[in-house]
Amino acid sequence: MVMNKTFKNKAFKLRSSGLTHAKLALASWHGRIVLLGLAVGLLYFHVWTAGMLVRASQGSAGIPLMGSAVFIGLRQLWKNRHGIAQLESSEEDRAIGHLLIIGGVILYPFCRFAIWPQSIIWLVILAGIVVSSWGVRFFEKYSLPTFLILLTAYPKPGVFARTIWAALTPHLFLERIMANAGAASLRMLGFPANVEGIIVTLPPNGAVEVGFGCNGFNMAFTMAAAGLIMGLFYKQSWPKIVAIVLVGIVLALLFNVPRIMMLTIAAIHWGDASFDFWHGGWGSQIFSAILFTPYYYAVMAIINRDSKTKA
């Protein structure tokens, strides 16, 4: 009975505290505008979560990576909460922030046709909340959490990275490299493999096309994101973080070659069911899990080597 009464008292205090903060926010125009922007944020959070779950069902490792990035960003903000509370926005910053919030709220209903415009609108609103509450200096003083939140605002960052990659590289650049590497590796094992463009052929009548999903880009992007998060989590310097990211990209591309070899052999000798398994989400997750093991030890070797050098 005493424990139940204590729990009720705590729940009442929390509810009262929440109501008090809500009343204080509604007492000023700034608070009302911020709450309006946060309401749009709640709507977008539902869309963001649904997008993440769809990606997870397709074999993407986005949920743990994005969750880790959000956790690190929020942890940085919580550690610096006292410093953030001391920041004040100027009249110009508050006016600009309010315009960003109101503009985003007005435009959001017209951007529900896809996730990417909603993420942009939410970032605009979030920037408006920050600028109107703490000023533009917030982004300079707390650049790391700003970067992490910017990175995780869109639930499909790989799609955005793919667009940039396609714009900066020749057509089928990585696909041709992987097709040639896969065919060469098969020949080293005694298979009479040939390559025609992005198609790996295995006589007498087998062939596999190395499309974008098999060129190793998605795996390399995942490893690069994991390396960035691991570097930030272990509080490494930026040169070390860059080294960790590069190691992840190289390992992902190297591990993609035996994946292409297995898919080619599976398509020709093991049947469609085997090919679909290794080409689908579960097969990709198995290769990613295998890849993470040597990558983890490589990262630890980089971190420990630097520590031993200092010692």
Side-chain angles (χ1 to χ4, degrees), residues 5-86:
K5 187 180 293 185
T6 303
F7 176 78
K8 287 183 178 179
N9 289 336
K10 289 183 178 179
F12 177 76
K13 289 180 181 179
L14 288 174
R15 186 166 61 246
S16 300
S17 177
L19 291 174
T20 301
H21 285 296
K23 289 179 179 179
L24 289 174
L26 291 172
S28 64
W29 276 107
H30 171 66
R32 295 168 194 158
I33 294 174
V34 168
L35 286 177
L36 189 62
L38 291 176
V40 174
L42 288 176
L43 293 176
Y44 177 66
F45 179 73
H46 172 74
V47 176
W48 184 88
T49 303
M52 291 297 298
L53 292 176
V54 170
R55 295 291 293 168
S57 67
Q58 297 172 346
S60 173
I63 288 182
L65 292 177
M66 301 275 272
S68 300
V70 171
F71 170 76
I72 294 173
L74 293 178
R75 187 181 67 172
Q76 290 288 327
L77 293 177
W78 178 254
K79 285 183 177 180
N80 294 282
R81 61 188 182 279
H82 299 298
I84 294 174
Q86 294 177 358

Side-chain angles (χ1 to χ4, degrees), residues 196-249:
E196 298 175 6
I198 61 172
I199 299 176
V200 179
T201 60
L202 198 60
N205 55 358
V208 171
E209 180 179 296
V210 181
F212 189 88
C214 297
N215 67 358
F217 179 86
N218 292 332
M219 193 181 297
F221 180 79
T222 300
M223 298 307 296
L228 174 63
I229 293 171
M230 289 179 68
L232 294 174
F233 181 80
Y234 286 105
K235 299 179 181 179
Q236 300 298 298
S237 63
W238 280 109
K240 297 176 189 176
I241 293 175
V242 171
I244 292 171
V245 169
L246 291 177
V247 168
I249 293 173

